Amino acid sequence: MISRTAYSLRGSGFFAEAEKHRIFTMSSSTQTPATLTFAQRVDRYFKISERQSTFSTEIRGGIATFFAMSYIVVLNPLVLSGADASGTELGLQRVAAVTAFVAGILTIIMGVWARHPFAMATGLGVNAFVAITVATNPGLTWQDIMGLVVIAGVVMFVLVLTGFRTAVFNAVPASLKTAIVVGIGMFIALIGLVNSGFVRRIPDAAGTTVPVGLGFDGKLLGWPILVFIVGLLLTMALVVRKVKGAILIGIVAAAVLANILEAMFDIGASSAENPSGWSLVVPSLPSWTLPDLSLIGHVNPIGAFSSLGVTAALLLAFVILLSIFFDAMGTMVGLAAEAGNIDEEGNIPDVEKVLLVDAAGAIVGGGTSSSSSQIFVESGAGIGEGARTGFASVITGLLLLAAMFLTPLIYLVPFEAVAPALVVVGFMMISQVTKIDWNDWGLALPAFLTFTLMPFTYSIANGIGAGFIAFVFIRSAQGRAREVHPLMWVVAAAFVLFFGIGLIEQLTGV
């Protein structure tokens, strides 16, 4: 029987909403799995409604993330394109295939098992270090260096299983976690500005102390820059007007404009002779290719120890370990905070599963010669689009697997079309800077170093390391060393070793 109060409210919005909530609660909690539809089961498993999202939003988010990160399938082969000590090259097509394959599989696992909107792909910091290491160590082959990546991944996996990595995450003060979010926002925005050519590095030969500048000699030139500007203005307008699909619409519109301009003016790729060309991906028509996955298993975990000796090999593995350890932790914190999948104390649901998938990324990435895969910072594009669950990651992963066969999914979208999304997402993440306790300089100064050095050094790990060391040092200088969690001392000491690796190598001759 309906009470008089409820009956009097039957015609009001209050009763309608209450009844709607009652029906939804019954359908989601009292129904048995056998009576649920397939869509309801997927909704319940991924917690789509629980996290106030929808299927369409998750799909848009998954597509937006794919477009934002698809460049890695093109860029990673270029970074790893050099020859090793034996003169052997991995091959552009083979690296592209395994990069897309590994990213797709790991992203789907992240979505289905950990159920977070985090995409996985080869980390640019790690693969750049790997390439430089190969170039500077004539005794190493590609199998040897990828073996070190596998070793670092195995150690990481053990640290997650023992709870050490989660314990370190929980030991970080809230203000430093917020600073990591802000720093990643600044880093994402800088990536967007640099990828678009809006901001460019000034060549060292210029003899100036200014590292970067606006466009070419302070001028914005070329059609690709116009694509970025139009895309940025459109995306900002759609975001402030709260249009659904704002980021994805901005990417698609900019990509369409890019393809039209390329067809009309034959702009071509950027080079010394054509500095105003597309930064990497030239918009092109579809083509079919069969993936070559022959690099799977192309690894030698003990080769570096035989070539360089135990000490030198361990030092290299240690640098790789620290990089993937804290790059992923910082990225995870930033993305989870932006998605709202984090509590007041900074804890992330199923964080152990997220970290296990990330650790597996280093093992699988090294084992396929695509370098360590980790949580990709460009996942922020999908989160900015509204993605809140692992269903978005499943969409992204499927598109990455399709990218092994269909190059247009990659080559139709140049950097300049994606860059506006990264800039806008960077703004969203930077807005959390107000949550830092600026009245406590023992937290504020380390936080400042954390979010400043991430974009300035183009490394998430460098920013985190500087912030952690500064926090421990300043708290000690304040006479408040007892307030520092013991694990923060351990991590700070590890980062001192990380930053001093060059001096150690010089002094030891390894």
Side-chain angles (χ1 to χ4, degrees), residues 116-397:
H116 279 279
F118 305 154
M120 297 280 293
T122 302
L124 286 176
V126 177
N127 71 355
F129 174 75
V130 164
I132 294 172
T133 301
V134 172
T136 57
N137 286 276
L140 292 179
T141 65
W142 279 115
Q143 287 123 312
D144 297 339
I145 195 65
M146 291 300 172
L148 292 177
V149 174
V150 171
I151 291 173
V154 171
V155 174
M156 181 80 69
F157 205 84
V158 172
L159 292 177
V160 176
L161 289 176
T162 58
F164 179 81
R165 199 178 184 192
T166 305
V168 170
F169 169 76
N170 294 331
V172 180
S175 286
L176 284 185
K177 288 180 180 177
T178 300
I180 292 171
V181 178
V182 175
I184 291 175
M186 296 175 66
F187 187 38
I188 288 177
L190 181 60
I191 290 173
L193 293 171
V194 171
N195 286 351
S196 67
F198 196 88
V199 171
R200 293 178 182 265
R201 185 178 70 85
I202 298 176
D204 299 335
T208 178
T209 57
V210 181
V212 294
L214 178 69
F216 302 94
D217 297 324
K219 299 178 182 178
L220 298 176
L221 302 174
W223 294 112
I225 293 292
L226 178 64
V227 170
F228 167 73
I229 294 174
V230 171
L232 180 60
L233 293 175
L234 175 61
T235 304
M236 288 192 300
L238 294 174
V239 167
V240 298
R241 292 183 66 87
K242 299 182 179 180
V243 175
K244 289 185 177 180
I247 291 177
L248 184 56
I249 292 172
I251 293 174
V252 173
V256 170
L257 176 59
N259 281 270
I260 292 174
L261 292 174
E262 176 62 26
M264 291 175 60
F265 301 106
D266 192 22
I267 300 167
S270 177
S271 64
E273 296 75 23
N274 182 31
S276 60
W278 303 103
S279 57
L280 177 61
V281 178
V282 178
S284 59
L285 294 176
S287 61
W288 291 82
T289 57
L290 291 176
D292 181 353
L293 301 177
S294 59
L295 285 177
I296 294 177
H298 191 76
V299 62
N300 183 2
I302 63 174
F305 293 88
S306 301
S307 302
L308 302 178
V310 175
T311 302
L314 287 177
L315 284 175
L316 290 176
F318 175 75
V319 174
I320 296 172
L321 174 64
L322 274 187
S323 179
I324 59 180
F325 188 109
F326 288 101
D327 267 5
M329 191 185 81
T331 305
M332 177 185 66
V333 172
L335 295 175
E338 183 61 25
N341 297 339
I342 196 167
D343 61 24
E344 295 180 355
E345 298 179 356
N347 298 318
I348 300 172
D350 295 320
V351 65
E352 292 83 4
K353 293 182 178 179
V354 174
L355 294 175
L356 280 173
V357 177
D358 180 76
I363 300 173
V364 176
T368 58
S369 291
S370 60
S371 187
S372 175
S373 288
Q374 58 194 56
I375 300 172
F376 221 59
V377 72
E378 279 79 359
S379 303
I383 292 173
E385 188 59 53
R388 296 293 179 266
T389 77
F391 190 75
S393 294
V394 173
I395 300 300
T396 303

